[in-house]
Amino acid sequence: MSTPPEPLRDETVSATFHLTHACNLRCTYCYTGEKVGKAMPVETAEAASAFVMEQARSRRARHLEVVFFGGEPLLKPDLIYRICDRLTESVAEEKIARRLTFKMSTNGLLLSREVLDALVARGVFISISLDGDPSVQDAQRPDARGRGTSERLKDVIERLLTVNPCANVTCVATPAHADRLDRSVRWLFSRGFRYVSTTLNYGEEWTRADLRRLEGAYRRLADWYVERTLGGEKLYLSCFDEKIRTRALGPLGKSERCSIGTKQFSIAPSGRLYPCVQFVHEDDDAAAEWVLGDVWGGFEADRRSALASCADAPKDECSGCAIDDRCASWCACVNWQSTGRVDRTSPLVCEHERILMPIADEAANRLWKSDDPTFVHKHYNPAFPVISFAEHLVMREVENADVRLEENETAEPPAVAGENGATIHV
Amino acid sequence: MFEKRPLEVKPVARYDVPRYPRHDDPDPTRHPEPVPFPFGAKIVQAAASLGITASLLSGTAFADDAATDAEPAPPHPLTVAQSGLPYTPSPYGTGVPSRLDEKIAREVIDDLFRAAGYAVKHDQRIEREGISFVADGYDPDNKVGYVFASWTDIEGDAFDPWWARDRADSTAPMTEAEAGIHKISRWLSEDQQKALTAAQALEDPKLRDEQLQKILDEFGRDRISMTEAKAIEAAAPKRKEHIAIISQFDRRFSYQSWGDEETQKAMAEAQKIPDPAKRAVAVKAAEKLAARTALENLETSVREYLDWVRRQGG
C-alpha cells in the first residue's frame, strides 16, 4: 500500500528566473550590470524548472511562485512560454493542491498585443516598471540609444490595463528626481494604474538634502492619498500601505520574510543560484562571493545557511529602537545594495524609514478618524483584495457593455431589400 | 551644516503610538459597529439592476460570512463581546487614548441605576459556582449590578499584555501558574510580592507551582476574568441576575485629550493662562470637554442596558 503524501505546508517558494542580461533600456539606476547578450540556454531553463519543482517538493510548499526577470525578460518570450508550460504540466502531474503563480517584471516596450495575449493565457501577472511623469521616465529610463521611452509606452499602458485593470507598476525614486515622486504617482494614477509600488534607488548616494526633498514629495503624496481614499478610490500605494500594514496586520514575522536565499532565490542565465535579484549583477567572478550553488548540483547548504543566519541576526545598531518591528531594515538586499553588507542596517534605509513611517501613520490616523470605510476594509478585511479585483473586473464589463450599447444605438440600422428591389432601413 | 552630515543609523527613542487599530485590537470592520463594504457607486447601480443590492450593501457578509450568518445582533450595548476586553496594554505608553476617570464613571452609572429604581450597594462580593469577584455596584434584591472594569478589576484572560506574549515565544517553557504570575507580577501588592519571592526560592517544582497558584488565586479573588464575565452573562437568563461588565478600555468610552477642534481650542486657551491654579482648573475643564462624548456614550449604553434588563423582568 502506498503511503499518502505528507501534507503541504503553508509556505511559498519563490524562484526568479533571470532569462537574459540583455536589455533594450539603459536605466540610470539599474543594478543588473552590463547589458551583455548572455541569455539562459534552453537546457539550463529546463534544468532550472526541474530544480524549482524539487525545491517546492522538498519544502512541501503549498505555493510555488516563479518570477521572470532580466535584463528585460521579454527579449526571450519563447523561453517564458516554455518554462510556464513545463511547470504547469509538472504541477498538474503531481495531483496535489500546490498553487503555481507566474509573475514578470518588464519595462513594457516589447509588450505587443500578441505577447500580452500569450502571457495572459498562461496566467502571468505583469508588473511594469515606469517612473511616472514622462520627463522623469525619459530622464531615468532611456533606451539603448539614449532616447526617451515615455511616448512609446502610452499604448502599452492602455493595452495592459485593459487586460488587467489591477496591473502593478513600479516607480523608482532617485536623488535627482526625489521631489517629483508625488507628481509621478499622480501621473500613473491618471493613466489608470491603481496598484503602484514605489522604491528608492538604494545603490545611489543620497544626501540629507535629497531626503528632505523626498520627504516633501511624500507629504504631498500623503495628502493626495488621503483625499483619494476619502473619495472612495481603492488604490494601493506601497510606500504608505506597506507601512500601515505593519501595524494593522502586524509586523512581518520571520516566517513571512523572504529569508534570503532560502524561500526566495534567483537563477542567473548561467544556472547559478543567488540569494536575490540584487546579487546576480553580471554573474561573473565579482559576484562569485554570493553564489549559493547551481541548478544541477543544488544549493551549497552551509553557504546558504550561513548567509541566512548572518542576514537574520539582530542588529546591534538598531537595539532599543521604538519602531524596529515595523522597519524595513530586515531586508538584507537593500542593506547590501547601499552598504555592501547584509548584516548591517543601511543608514539610508534607517533615515528613510524615520521619514516615511510618521507620514504613513499620520495619513492612516486621518483616515481612521474620518471613519473611512475604504481604509477600514482595505487594511482589516482579508477579503478586500479579492473583492476589489472582482469589482474592477465587473466594472470593466459594465463599462464595455455601456460602450457596446452606445455603439449599437448610434449605428446605422440594417438595410433589407424590400419589395420591388427597394432598400428599406429597419 | 546639518545637511552635510552623513546619513546614520539612529534608533528612535520615542514614537507616538498611532491611533488607528493594531492587528490585535477588536476587528474594526465589526467593532463598535459593522462597516459596510465600500462598493463603488457604479457597482451598486449594476447590482441594483440585478436585484442584489441589499446583500452587496451590507458588505459585512464579505468580511466574515460564517460569523455574520451565526451571530445575532447583541441585545444591548454592554455585552462582554462589545466590551473591548481582553485588553492589550500599549508597550509605548504614548498616544494611547484617555480613559474615563473611574470615580466619575461610577458616579454616572450609580445615578442611572438609581434613576431606574435600583438600590445600588458598592463593592459587593459575587460568588457563584467557581466564579468570584467584587461588583462595583449591586442591588441584591433585584440582582442587578455592574463592574466598571479598570486595571484594578481585571485578571487572567481579561487582558493580554505584550510582555507575556513575548515571553510565551521564548524557548523556556513555563507552567500555567508561572505564565499567570508573569502576566500580573507588576500589579502584586507588597505582601504578594514577598510571597512570590518566597515561592520562587522553593526548590521543589511542585510545591513552587502550588504556592504560585495560591498567589494567583488570591490576586484574582476580587477581580474578574473574561471567563467569569462570559459565565455570568450566559447564566443571566436562568439565574435572573444581570451584572454588566463595563470596561474602561472600551473604545466607545475612550477619547483623545487633543480630540476635536473645540477641545483643542479650549486646551490651547487654557495653556495660555499665566496663573498655575487657574490654568489647572481650565485644563481640567478642557479635559472634561474632551471626555464629553465618551461620557455621553457611557450614559446611553447604561440606559439601554437597564431598559433591556427591565424587559427581561429584572
Side-chain angles (χ1 to χ4, degrees):
Chain A
M1 189 186 335
S2 61
T3 49
E6 287 188 68
L8 296 177
R9 295 195 296 200
D10 196 18
E11 209 177 272
T12 299
V13 165
S14 178
T16 300
F17 283 63
H18 293 243
L19 299 178
T20 179
H21 287 285
C23 187
N24 48 349
L25 291 193
R26 295 291 180 269
C27 300
T28 58
Y29 47 72
C30 186
Y31 51 74
T32 63
E34 281 293 315
K35 305 293 170 267
V36 294
K38 285 194 288 181
M40 182 179 282
V42 168
E43 298 75 24
T44 306
E46 293 284 350
S49 300
F51 174 74
V52 303
M53 278 304 304
E54 183 45 41
Q55 285 297 299
R57 283 185 192 120
S58 68
R59 295 193 74 89
R60 299 196 340 254
R62 191 178 299 282
H63 179 205
L64 171 59
E65 177 185 80
V66 170
V67 183
F68 298 111
F69 203 73
E72 171 51 49
L74 284 181
L75 285 169
K76 308 298 291 178
D78 291 339
L79 203 51
I80 297 172
Y81 308 150
R82 189 185 188 107
I83 294 168
C84 285
D85 295 343
R86 169 72 68 234
L87 287 171
T88 302
E89 198 183 304
S90 301
V91 167
E93 278 168 2
E94 289 184 312
K95 290 189 179 19
I96 56 175
R98 197 188 311 277
R99 203 169 125 233
L100 173 64
T101 54
F102 298 110
K103 287 183 181 177
M104 170 186 308
S105 179
T106 174
N107 60 43
L109 278 179
L110 300 171
L111 200 58
S112 64
R113 164 56 72 187
E114 188 195 344
V115 166
L116 183 58
D117 287 345
L119 292 171
V120 167
R122 289 167 173 84
V124 179
F125 181 85
I126 299 163
S127 176
I128 188 168
S129 296
L130 270 177
D131 287 349
D133 177 83
S135 61
V136 177
Q137 166 76 9
D138 288 342
Q140 294 188 169
R141 299 177 66 81
D143 67 10
R145 291 190 201 168
R147 298 175 302 181
T149 48
S150 57
E151 195 59 35
R152 282 177 273 170
L153 286 166
K154 279 183 181 168
D155 290 344
V156 173
I157 293 171
E158 196 182 321
R159 196 177 302 136
L160 177 61
L161 288 174
T162 301
V163 162
N164 180 9
C166 300
N168 183 74
V169 58
T170 300
C171 178
V172 176
T174 61
H177 301 106
D179 56 342
R180 291 197 232 175
L181 181 64
D182 56 314
R183 207 160 80 184
S184 287
V185 169
R186 288 201 305 270
W187 186 90
L188 291 167
F189 186 85
S190 73
R191 290 301 174 272
F193 286 105
R194 293 295 178 267
Y195 289 77
V196 179
S197 297
T198 62
T199 185
L200 255 55
N201 175 16
Y202 288 100
E204 203 171 337
E205 194 179 325
W206 288 72
T207 64
R208 286 185 186 280
D210 296 329
L211 288 174
R212 289 291 151 259
R213 288 170 33 246
L214 181 64
E215 182 178 355
Y218 276 143
R219 290 198 183 281
R220 292 188 295 274
L221 199 50
D223 287 340
W224 174 86
Y225 169 86
V226 168
E227 184 198 326
R228 284 290 169 179
T229 305
L230 289 174
E233 284 287 355
K234 296 183 186 67
L235 66 136
Y236 168 82
L237 183 50
S238 69
C239 51
F240 300 140
D241 286 321
E242 288 304 306
K243 278 286 145 272
I244 295 169
R245 179 205 186 281
T246 58
R247 176 169 169 86
L249 292 182
L252 274 184
K254 281 202 175 161
S255 61
E256 292 169 283
R257 298 177 190 175
C258 67
S259 198
I260 183 171
T262 310
K263 285 181 282 189
Q264 174 183 301
F265 51 88
S266 274
I267 307 171
S270 63
R272 280 194 279 265
L273 300 169
Y274 288 85
C276 189
V277 296
Q278 315 273 2
F279 297 88
V280 173
H281 205 242
E282 291 166 26
D283 187 27
D284 54 12
D285 292 339
E289 178 190 355
W290 304 104
V291 173
L292 299 180
D294 60 53
V295 296
W296 299 277
F299 282 106
E300 291 170 39
D302 290 345
R303 281 191 99 170
R304 185 164 80 159
S305 171
L307 176 63
S309 299
C310 182
D312 284 348
K315 297 173 179 56
D316 292 337
E317 62 271 29
C318 298
S319 174
C321 181
I323 55 173
D324 186 26
D325 63 343
R326 297 180 61 199
C327 180
S329 59
W330 58 266
C331 180
C333 300
V334 296
N335 286 335
W336 177 75
Q337 216 188 357
S338 66
T339 66
R341 292 185 63 164
V342 298
D343 61 342
R344 306 289 290 175
T345 297
S346 153
L348 173 60
V349 168
C350 183
E351 299 261 9
H352 180 249
E353 291 290 296
R354 282 188 273 126
I355 287 170
L356 179 58
M357 200 172 304
I359 295 173
D361 281 343
E362 183 47 35
N365 283 344
R366 283 156 66 186
L367 289 167
W368 173 247
K369 194 177 167 190
S370 303
D371 293 326
D372 182 65
T374 304
F375 171 81
V376 168
H377 277 274
K378 179 158 78 163
H379 292 288
Y380 302 99
N381 180 357
F384 182 87
V386 171
I387 301 173
S388 298
F389 182 62
E391 194 179 3
H392 280 301
L393 292 179
V394 168
M395 275 321 303
R396 189 183 58 188
E397 286 307 312
V398 166
E399 280 160 4
N400 287 346
D402 285 345
V403 167
R404 282 195 295 274
L405 196 62
E406 218 174 272
E407 283 171 355
N408 286 342
E409 281 174 352
T410 55
E412 279 282 325
V416 295
E419 287 179 7
N420 306 322
T423 301
I424 302 170
H425 290 278
V426 177
Chain B
M1 193 67 179
F2 173 77
E3 296 294 303
K4 289 195 164 69
R5 251 192 320 123
L7 305 184
E8 55 182 341
V9 176
K10 191 173 166 191
V12 173
R14 185 177 174 277
Y15 188 76
D16 286 341
V17 175
R19 298 191 280 279
Y20 61 101
R22 264 170 51 122
H23 53 97
D24 48 5
D25 283 325
D27 182 358
T29 64
R30 300 177 156 278
H31 297 284
E33 290 161 1
V35 177
F37 191 89
F39 287 104
K42 284 190 178 176
I43 284 280
V44 174
Q45 280 167 16
S49 66
L50 295 171
I52 55 173
T53 314
S55 60
L56 259 187
L57 286 178
S58 75
T60 51
F62 289 95
D64 186 344
D65 280 341
T68 317
D69 289 340
E71 283 175 9
H76 58 79
L78 296 179
T79 59
V80 177
Q82 299 172 88
S83 67
L85 295 175
Y87 173 64
T88 302
S90 164
Y92 304 121
T94 56
V96 180
S98 300
R99 313 288 181 196
L100 282 177
D101 178 86
E102 181 162 2
K103 192 159 169 280
I104 293 174
R106 283 178 61 170
E107 278 171 11
V108 165
I109 298 168
D110 284 346
D111 284 346
L112 288 166
F113 268 68
R114 286 190 194 109
Y118 299 111
V120 171
K121 292 178 181 167
H122 290 147
D123 304 324
Q124 298 289 294
R125 172 157 297 287
I126 308 290
E127 269 171 347
R128 316 261 181 275
E129 293 162 11
I131 292 171
S132 174
F133 64 92
V134 169
D136 291 317
Y138 186 70
D139 177 341
D141 294 328
N142 290 296
K143 292 160 78 176
V144 177
Y146 73 93
V147 173
F148 186 73
S150 64
W151 287 113
T152 55
D153 300 286
I154 55 175
E155 59 127 352
D157 57 0
F159 79 109
D160 182 21
W162 55 269
W163 58 84
R165 242 184 277 149
D166 288 349
R167 192 71 178 90
D169 288 340
S170 79
T171 51
M174 286 192 287
T175 64
E176 208 173 299
E178 281 172 340
I181 288 285
H182 178 65
K183 225 173 163 185
I184 52 92
S185 59
R186 301 166 186 220
W187 298 339
L188 293 173
S189 66
E190 209 175 301
D191 286 342
Q192 287 166 341
Q193 286 284 0
K194 285 183 184 157
L196 175 62
T197 308
Q200 286 170 335
L202 293 171
E203 287 192 6
D204 182 340
K206 195 169 166 225
L207 196 57
R208 184 168 62 240
D209 229 49
E210 276 172 15
Q211 292 304 312
L212 291 180
Q213 191 58 51
K214 257 190 191 166
I215 297 169
L216 271 174
D217 289 342
E218 196 204 306
F219 175 83
R221 200 163 158 263
D222 291 351
R223 295 166 178 253
I224 191 164
S225 66
M226 283 280 281
T227 308
E228 287 174 322
K230 285 177 187 171
I232 286 280
E233 190 172 85
K238 193 175 157 195
R239 283 213 196 101
K240 298 274 186 229
E241 178 178 55
H242 304 283
I243 302 177
I245 312 301
I246 308 171
S247 162
Q248 192 185 36
F249 311 109
D250 189 323
R251 205 186 300 146
R252 295 170 295 177
F253 311 144
S254 306
Y255 61 98
Q256 298 290 0
S257 297
W258 58 88
D260 54 34
E261 270 184 49
E262 198 185 339
T263 309
Q264 285 176 31
K265 202 172 158 198
M267 193 61 84
E269 291 301 319
Q271 298 290 2
K272 286 180 197 164
I273 299 173
D275 179 76
K278 286 181 183 168
R279 186 167 65 240
V281 166
V283 164
K284 195 84 185 155
E287 282 175 0
K288 278 193 180 163
L289 188 65
R292 68 193 181 288
T293 305
L295 281 169
E296 280 165 16
N297 287 344
L298 177 66
E299 281 182 27
T300 305
S301 298
V302 173
R303 276 205 188 93
E304 281 182 35
Y305 171 72
L306 291 172
D307 282 342
W308 175 82
V309 166
R310 233 188 332 268
R311 287 198 299 276
Q312 310 311 304

